[in-house]
Structure formats: C-alpha cells, structure tokens
Amino acid sequence: MKKSLLLTTAVLTMAYFTSCGGGKKAENASAEEPTVKEVTLSGNTYPEDADGWITIFDGETFKGWRGYNRPDAPGAWTIEDNSIKINGSGAGEAGASNGGDLIFDTKFKNFELELEWKVAKGSNSGIFYLAQEIEGQPIYISAPEYQVLDNVNHPDARMGKNNNRQSASLYDMIPAVPQNTKPFGEWNKAKILCYKGTIVHYQNDEPVVEYHLWTPQWQEMLDNSKFSKDKWPVAYDLLLNCGGENKEGYIGLQDHGDDVWFRNIKVKILD
C-alpha cells in the first residue's frame, strides 16, 4: 500500500511538471513570434517590425511617395517586380517631360535608411537625404547624395576626385572605401545612418563613408566641391545648413535619365 501510494505520487508529480513545462514552452513560443505593428506617417499607415524598421514601400503602390515639388508620382516612375523603377528617358537628369525625382512624403531627422538598388548598364542615379523642396531648384541643391552608379560603364565614375563619384560615395566629396559595388544588373544593399549630424554610408553591409554635418569639416568639403560658394552660391548656403532650421528633410530617389530599380525600402527612426 505504501509502495503504491509513493508510485502514484511520483506519477502525479511528473505529470504536473510536464504539464507546467509544456505550458511554459507554449507561452515562450508565443512570445517569440515576431510582432508587427502599424505606424502613421503623413496620414498613411506602414508596418513596423519588432526592431523598429518601418517598411515605407509596399512593393505594389506609390503610397506615401510623390514627385519632388509635385503632388503625384511622375509617369517615368513605375512599379516592376516589387521594385520602384525609374525608366530611362536618355534625356539626362529629370530631362523627360514625364520625369523628375521621387521623394517619400515625410521629413526625417535622426534615422537609418536601408534599401536595395540595381542599375542597367551605364546607369546613374542617387539617394538623397535631408532634402528640402525649393521651388524652381533641383533636389540636390539642398541634399547630400549617396551615389548610385554603374562604376564600370558610366563616365562619371572617372570624374571628380579620387573616385568620389563612384557608387555609395558622398557625391563629389568623399569616395566610398572600400569600393565593393556589384556589377550592373545585380542588387546592391545601401544603408544610410543619420544621427545628430553624423552620417555613415554603407554598401553591401560595409561602412564606406563617414562624415559630420554642420562642422568645419563639412564646410571645407563644400568649399572643395562643385557646390562651393564661388561655383554655386545658392547650393552652398543650403547645403551648409542642410536639413534647414529643424535639421530634417525628405528621402529622395533620383531620375538621372537611366534605368534604375529600388526595393525593400525601410527606415528606422532614432531618438
């Protein structure tokens, strides 16, 4: 009898702990499932993952995107295979009647931006940040540019100084080092970190450019670029204080008259 009671107690105890353990495992499994919430930017909602990344292109529509200094997306921009594509006009920078640069209709201050891009043979484009809308002026008059380029086949790769017009460079100011771009037709990963004036460009998961806005270093770079006060005083003044009074601005994609694709566009807002 005593032996039977002990055996029964052991069986019940084992069942209890097994049940509790199973319950905890189920709870943990549920807790580990990725959670996605929605955030609102300029009246539109976008999914935000558990790490704070907000997907700002849904792969199907131009929701939240519009032309620079216009309310709609220019006709030269289309959506193809879950990518935003600028269809080359061959007419140079924003040269086609249905062309023009594309911006996301929210200003960002401290943030990380990630996306993928690829170019057709000999194509040129760029990613702008902290951009302002200046009536009658191009977007690059107020915004630093992360260069997007076919380094092998576009002549701009051999212009400027020390390769500072090749892909992922701060255009016409700082070359991307190492230069680890992939050939035309292949996807590259871009990332831009902007935090309280510190800017870092990444290309294919490597940091390739770092600089600091609103500093003597930044002014010196402008003085030695195509945007110098002597060459382009309007651009110089805007870029010297880029981001404007609130030190914030738009993200933009450039129409340079060539075929270029962008996808998996997401942003993380930093405190």
Side-chain angles (χ1 to χ4, degrees):
M1 189 75 174
K2 187 175 181 182
K3 183 177 181 182
S4 175
L5 180 60
L6 290 171
L7 180 61
T8 302
T9 302
V11 170
L12 289 173
T13 303
M14 183 178 295
Y16 172 79
F17 282 110
T18 301
S19 173
C20 288
K24 288 181 180 177
K25 185 175 181 181
E27 289 173 6
N28 290 339
S30 176
E32 289 170 3
E33 290 178 4
T35 57
V36 176
K37 64 179 182 179
E38 288 192 334
V39 298
T40 301
L41 299 173
S42 299
N44 293 305
T45 57
Y46 303 89
E48 179 182 14
D49 69 18
D51 294 323
W53 286 102
I54 305 166
T55 298
I56 59 174
F57 170 56
D58 62 15
E60 298 177 351
T61 70
F62 284 111
K63 182 179 75 170
W65 294 84
R66 62 178 176 84
Y68 174 75
N69 276 328
R70 59 184 289 173
D72 58 344
W77 294 89
T78 58
I79 295 174
E80 177 183 295
D81 297 330
N82 297 311
S83 304
I84 293 178
K85 181 186 179 186
I86 177 62
N87 294 276
S89 63
E93 190 163 1
S97 59
N98 66 339
D101 299 321
L102 195 69
I103 64 172
F104 184 71
D105 193 21
T106 297
K107 287 186 175 183
F108 296 102
K109 186 171 187 173
N110 298 314
F111 63 91
E112 290 179 81
L113 171 69
E114 280 192 2
L115 56 82
E116 293 176 289
W117 60 268
K118 70 175 180 178
V119 292
K121 184 176 182 179
S123 289
N124 185 343
S125 183
I127 304 164
F128 298 105
Y129 47 96
L130 298 176
Q132 309 300 304
E133 285 187 291
I134 311 296
E135 189 66 35
Q137 298 288 352
I139 190 172
Y140 54 79
I141 200 170
S142 69
E145 179 183 350
Y146 179 116
Q147 175 77 310
V148 168
L149 195 75
D150 174 3
N151 288 341
V152 174
N153 297 291
H154 195 286
D156 211 21
R158 297 178 291 279
M159 300 173 70
K161 299 176 183 177
N162 301 319
N163 301 321
N164 66 5
R165 295 190 183 182
Q166 294 188 2
S167 68
S169 297
L170 173 62
Y171 178 73
D172 205 56
M173 293 190 224
I174 304 177
V177 179
Q179 182 48 256
N180 61 345
T181 188
K182 297 179 182 178
F184 72 87
E186 295 187 24
W187 288 102
N188 290 272
K189 182 178 178 182
K191 178 179 175 180
I192 299 168
L193 167 67
C194 176
Y195 188 70
K196 297 182 179 180
T198 294
I199 309 293
V200 185
H201 291 186
Y202 297 78
Q203 182 165 252
N204 296 320
D205 295 316
E206 288 193 71
V208 293
V209 166
E210 179 178 344
Y211 68 100
H212 305 275
L213 292 170
W214 318 308
T215 63
Q217 176 207 27
W218 175 236
Q219 182 171 354
E220 183 179 355
M221 289 192 297
L222 287 172
D223 288 338
N224 292 313
S225 75
K226 65 184 287 184
F227 307 107
S228 70
K229 193 165 189 174
D230 292 339
K231 297 175 183 175
W232 202 345
V234 176
Y236 179 84
D237 290 339
L238 287 167
L239 285 167
L240 188 63
N241 301 291
C242 69
E245 182 179 352
N246 296 322
K247 293 181 168 51
E248 63 181 11
Y250 297 106
I251 292 165
L253 306 177
Q254 187 179 40
D255 167 15
H256 207 284
D258 300 320
D259 288 345
V260 183
W261 295 257
F262 303 91
R263 71 179 185 186
N264 295 332
I265 309 173
K266 57 185 182 178
V267 66
K268 180 187 286 189
I269 298 172
L270 306 175
D271 293 334

